[in-house]
Amino acid sequence: MHELSIALTISNLILDTAEKHNARNVTEVKLEVGELTLLNNEQLNFAVKTLLKGTKAENCKITIQPVKAKLKCGKCGYEWFPGKVLQSPGLAHLESLSCVQCDGTINLIMVCPKCRCGNADIMSGKECIINEIVLGA
């Protein structure tokens, strides 16, 4: 579960920000988490809330905005969302990636559905960003 290590980093950044600005408390935190991070948003939320217990951010609202994976062909420039292609009948582009740590598998489509080029760039879906920390005066 890599959610815990990410949650620890997020919690530390929240508390450091509150301390730096002499905030009385933290009321809200907004995150963006890409689907390619393989983070479970519910587990991440729980881990952050648990780590913030007993701090000035204990009662803050945590909002996690999921970010869809988006790919772009390096040859023709076509952009697509792998989830939509996965639902289509032509699954010829399907490649799977395995995690060496947990033996889990994720299916990604890295071959362009338009020109069949295998040179795709990931445009979005890998981010884990703290967008906003709302501090109480």
Side-chain angles (χ1 to χ4, degrees), residues 35-84:
E35 66 182 353
L36 297 179
T37 64
L38 301 181
L39 290 168
N40 179 300
N41 291 346
E42 289 178 19
Q43 290 176 356
L44 180 62
N45 191 334
F46 176 78
V48 171
K49 293 295 273 180
T50 300
L51 290 166
L52 293 175
K53 281 188 179 173
T55 71
K56 57 177 72 181
E58 180 174 23
N59 296 315
C60 74
K61 175 184 175 187
I62 298 174
T63 305
I64 300 176
Q65 177 66 45
V67 179
K68 290 290 218 182
K70 184 177 183 181
L71 304 176
K72 181 178 182 179
C73 179
K75 180 178 178 186
C76 73
Y78 181 75
E79 295 183 4
W80 73 98
F81 296 94
K84 291 184 179 179

Side-chain angles (χ1 to χ4, degrees), residues 3-119:
E3 284 82 6
L4 187 56
S5 62
I6 300 295
L8 183 58
T9 300
I10 290 169
S11 302
N12 287 337
L13 287 169
I14 292 167
L15 296 173
D16 289 348
T17 300
E19 190 69 31
K20 179 181 174 183
H21 295 283
N22 296 317
R24 191 182 43 141
N25 61 10
V26 178
T27 58
E28 187 174 4
V29 176
K30 295 181 182 180
L31 307 172
E32 279 187 24
V33 178
E35 66 182 353
L36 297 179
T37 64
L38 301 181
L39 290 168
N40 179 300
N41 291 346
E42 289 178 19
Q43 290 176 356
L44 180 62
N45 191 334
F46 176 78
V48 171
K49 293 295 273 180
T50 300
L51 290 166
L52 293 175
K53 281 188 179 173
T55 71
K56 57 177 72 181
E58 180 174 23
N59 296 315
C60 74
K61 175 184 175 187
I62 298 174
T63 305
I64 300 176
Q65 177 66 45
V67 179
K68 290 290 218 182
K70 184 177 183 181
L71 304 176
K72 181 178 182 179
C73 179
K75 180 178 178 186
C76 73
Y78 181 75
E79 295 183 4
W80 73 98
F81 296 94
K84 291 184 179 179
V85 181
L86 280 173
Q87 296 168 1
S88 70
L91 297 177
H93 327 297
L94 189 63
E95 292 182 12
S96 72
L97 302 175
S98 298
C99 176
V100 293
Q101 292 181 348
C102 70
D103 291 326
T105 302
I106 182 171
N107 293 321
L108 285 178
I109 297 173
M110 298 298 290
V111 177
C112 177
K114 188 173 181 183
C115 75
R116 304 283 192 222
C117 174
N119 182 18

